[in-house]
Amino acid sequence: MRKQHFVIKLENQELLQELCGENDCNIDKLEALFESKVISYGNEIIIETDNQQKQALFKILIDKIDNLLILGKHIDSDVIQEVFDLVIKSSDYQKTKIMNNFIDVGKYGKIFPKNLSQSEYIEAMNKFSLVFGIGPAGTGKTFLAVAHAISLIQQKRFKKLVITRPVVESGENLGFLPGDLNQKIDPYLRPVYDVLDLLLSKEEAAKFEERKVIEAAPLAYMRGRNLNDCYVILDEAQNVTKSQMKMFLTRLGENSMTVVTGDPSQIDLKKSSESGLVEVMRFLGDIDLISFHYFSESDVIRSKLVRQIVDAYERNAKII
């Protein structure tokens, strides 16, 4: 499929030649920054991309460089990098990026990110088949992952949503808990069910249940399975042991999408060093097909009070 050409016109050809630099060295820099083909023609500079975020960023960047050229500023790759960094941090660009990344969940409508970090998290889920969402409570890690899954299932991209959590958090064992399997795991998966209740109407939820589109299961029941054509969410992954994490990640099948969420500051294992999430954070980050997205305490959106509580814990941890 041919990529769209996004065209920006400068005042004259001379300005464009100065922008391009000697032997088009600045064009090379622009192509590296945007990971897209950039060409010049007459007084026009063109980027080949249908990515609206790249187009918006390119437009803001070229406009600012154009203003520098009119003021007589010499443009080289270092200047382009400086302007690019400033644009990325600008509120106008951040607002554009936030509005362009959303999740469309059928009757619920469009779910827009509440900050830049959530926007980049959604962008990562749209690009990668394995995403780790890591950070404190209240940042929307699980909510956005479930919403993204429901959206893609409604688009028939996947057949089923499989949600799993570790259920042995404080040395307890399922066998010691009362009731059948569903009754035993219900308290652990209740936060996920709450998200589903928000996203789906009663009719949609009934249809999903009838078709067995959503499956919730403890992590121990993932062993031996191949999860083909599934959207898989592993929640509370900080409480997954190293061996459990390896088992889980090797279950992923063809045409699968996986989001792993967790908060390393809330490990309930007897030995925090046994956390499989902490381990993979150390050595899976170099794999190009995997995205690690880190939320900070400043990204907490649950309430002002929660944000202040998280801040207090962060400060206390640094003192200790």
Side-chain angles (χ1 to χ4, degrees), residues 219-220 222-223 243-251:
L219 182 60
M222 293 295 105
R223 188 175 299 278
S243 60
Q244 287 175 328
M245 181 64 78
K246 181 179 179 181
M247 176 273 292
F248 172 77
L249 293 178
T250 54
R251 296 305 96 206

Side-chain angles (χ1 to χ4, degrees), residues 215-260:
E215 175 187 345
L219 182 60
Y221 285 69
M222 293 295 105
R223 188 175 299 278
R225 297 187 58 180
N226 288 316
L227 302 170
N228 296 326
D229 301 311
C230 291
Y231 195 118
V232 188
I233 297 175
L234 170 57
D235 197 30
E236 298 291 341
Q238 75 274 3
N239 292 321
V240 173
T241 65
K242 294 177 180 179
S243 60
Q244 287 175 328
M245 181 64 78
K246 181 179 179 181
M247 176 273 292
F248 172 77
L249 293 178
T250 54
R251 296 305 96 206
L252 307 182
E254 293 295 325
N255 187 39
S256 67
M257 166 80 197
T258 304
V259 178
V260 178

Side-chain angles (χ1 to χ4, degrees), residues 153 156-161 211-213 229-231:
I153 288 172
K156 302 189 184 305
R157 294 267 302 277
F158 299 99
K159 294 180 179 179
K160 179 186 287 190
L161 167 59
R211 291 160 44 204
K212 297 183 178 179
V213 170
D229 301 311
C230 291
Y231 195 118

Side-chain angles (χ1 to χ4, degrees), residues 100-227:
N100 281 339
N101 276 328
F102 59 85
I103 301 171
D104 196 348
V105 187
K107 292 180 180 179
Y108 185 92
K110 293 179 179 178
I111 298 174
F112 287 94
K114 296 185 180 297
N115 52 45
L116 184 61
S117 188
Q118 284 196 354
S119 176
E120 291 173 342
Y121 183 50
I122 294 172
E123 186 175 7
M125 290 190 290
N126 286 333
K127 288 182 177 179
F128 295 87
S129 58
L130 176 54
V131 176
F132 288 82
I134 300 168
T139 50
K141 305 183 299 294
T142 302
F143 176 82
L144 291 174
V146 174
H148 191 251
I150 296 299
S151 176
L152 295 186
I153 288 172
Q154 289 175 334
Q155 297 172 39
K156 302 189 184 305
R157 294 267 302 277
F158 299 99
K159 294 180 179 179
K160 179 186 287 190
L161 167 59
V162 178
I163 304 172
T164 185
R165 265 184 159 201
V167 296
V168 182
E169 296 183 351
S170 301
E172 295 184 49
N173 187 289
L174 279 175
F176 298 125
L177 299 177
D180 60 20
L181 177 61
N182 289 333
Q183 291 172 322
K184 289 178 179 181
I185 68 172
D186 185 81
Y188 295 96
L189 294 167
R190 176 46 49 190
V192 177
Y193 292 140
D194 290 342
V195 174
L196 291 171
D197 289 341
L198 285 173
L199 295 174
L200 297 173
S201 66
K202 290 183 178 179
E203 294 77 13
E204 287 177 310
K207 287 181 181 178
F208 273 31
E209 184 175 354
E210 182 182 342
R211 291 160 44 204
K212 297 183 178 179
V213 170
I214 298 175
E215 175 187 345
L219 182 60
Y221 285 69
M222 293 295 105
R223 188 175 299 278
R225 297 187 58 180
N226 288 316
L227 302 170

Side-chain angles (χ1 to χ4, degrees), residues 20-33:
C20 293
E22 187 175 352
N23 297 322
D24 284 345
C25 60
N26 292 341
I27 294 291
D28 295 338
K29 178 66 175 180
L30 290 170
E31 289 183 335
L33 288 172

